[in-house]
Amino acid sequence: NEKCALKNLNLTLKQGDFAPIVGSNGAGKSTLLRLLGGMDTPSKGKVTRHCRVSWPLALGGGFQGSMTGRENTRFVCRIHGVRDTLAIEEWVKEFSEIGQHFELPIKGYSSGMRSKFSFAVSMAFDFDIYLTDEIMSVGDARFKQKCIDVFNQKRETASLIMVSHDMKNLRQQCDMGILLRNSTLELFDDIEDAIRIYQKL
C-alpha cells in the first residue's frame, strides 16, 4: 500500500519569514524539506520555485568523502557559479572552526566536525529561502549561538523554513508556525497555537 505523505500543499512566504514546521514523527516534515530543496521530486504535481532555495542544511550527503573540506567547498562554489572561490573557502574554514582538518578528506571528520563544516558551507551562500532540519543542534552552546547569529543576519534578506522538535527554540525565534498533519499544512499566525495543537497529537 502506498502512503500519501503530502497532498494539496500551498504555501507562500514573505521576505524575512521564519517559518517553523511542527508535526509528529513520520508526518512528512523532512520529506517536505527535500521536495522544497529539489532533493526529491513529487510523485504527482510539481514544486515551483521563483527564487533561490538552499538544500536542507542538515543534509551532508552532497559532499565527496575522499575530497578535502577545501575541495568540497570549491566544488559547491562552482555548482553555484562562483568562479573566484578563495574568499568563500577561507570564510568556511574560519566559521567551521575545524582548523587544519579543512585540508584533509572529510571522510575522516568526526560527526561534529562534519556538521560544522556542512553548516558553514550552507551559510557561505546567499539564498532567498533557507531550509533547515534541526540545524541549531550543531556544536556546543557558543557555536549554537554563532549559528543563530548568522541566521539572524540572513533573515534580513531571506526567509527560513525550519523543521524542529525544540519548542523552546521555536518560541524564542518564531512568531508564526506551520503544523503538518494528515498530509496537509495548517498555517498559524501565533506559534503558541501551532505548538499547543502539535503537543496534543
Side-chain angles (χ1 to χ4, degrees), residues 42-201:
S43 55
K44 292 182 181 179
K46 63 181 179 178
V47 178
T48 303
R49 302 170 193 84
H50 299 288
C51 57
R52 286 166 51 91
V53 181
S54 80
W55 58 87
L57 302 191
L59 189 70
F63 298 120
Q64 173 54 251
S66 61
M67 289 165 52
T68 68
R70 185 179 296 280
E71 290 167 340
N72 270 284
T73 303
R74 194 174 296 152
F75 179 70
V76 175
C77 283
R78 288 174 178 159
I79 289 175
H80 288 278
V82 178
R83 298 190 177 208
D84 186 4
T85 64
L86 185 59
I88 290 181
E89 291 171 33
E90 292 304 312
W91 190 91
V92 170
K93 180 179 180 180
E94 181 180 354
F95 189 93
S96 64
E97 301 178 2
I98 60 175
Q100 287 306 306
H101 287 92
F102 189 65
E103 316 297 344
L104 299 174
I106 67 171
K107 63 185 177 184
Y109 290 9
S110 67
S111 60
M113 283 191 293
R114 195 178 178 99
S115 294
K116 289 181 176 182
F117 171 73
S118 176
F119 182 82
V121 172
S122 302
M123 290 294 101
F125 297 91
D126 291 326
F127 296 103
D128 298 307
I129 298 177
Y130 289 86
L131 308 174
T132 172
D133 194 343
E134 299 283 13
I135 199 67
M136 299 302 187
S137 61
V138 174
D140 58 17
R142 184 193 55 79
F143 196 86
K144 283 180 190 172
Q145 186 58 50
K146 188 165 132 175
C147 293
I148 291 172
D149 290 344
V150 74
F151 257 140
N152 286 336
Q153 292 174 15
K154 297 290 186 181
R155 285 177 71 180
E156 295 178 5
T157 56
S159 300
L160 176 69
I161 300 176
M162 179 175 68
V163 167
S164 180
H165 295 282
D166 185 346
M167 298 302 113
K168 179 181 178 182
N169 183 41
L170 293 185
R171 285 186 169 102
Q172 290 175 342
Q173 297 289 325
C174 312
D175 296 320
M176 51 90 74
I178 300 168
L179 177 65
L180 177 57
R181 63 172 173 173
N182 300 325
S183 304
T184 60
L185 296 175
E186 298 174 51
L187 186 63
F188 295 87
D189 292 331
D190 187 341
I191 183 63
E192 290 297 338
D193 292 335
I195 290 175
R196 185 175 65 253
I197 295 176
Y198 159 69
Q199 290 179 332
K200 290 180 180 177
L201 296 179

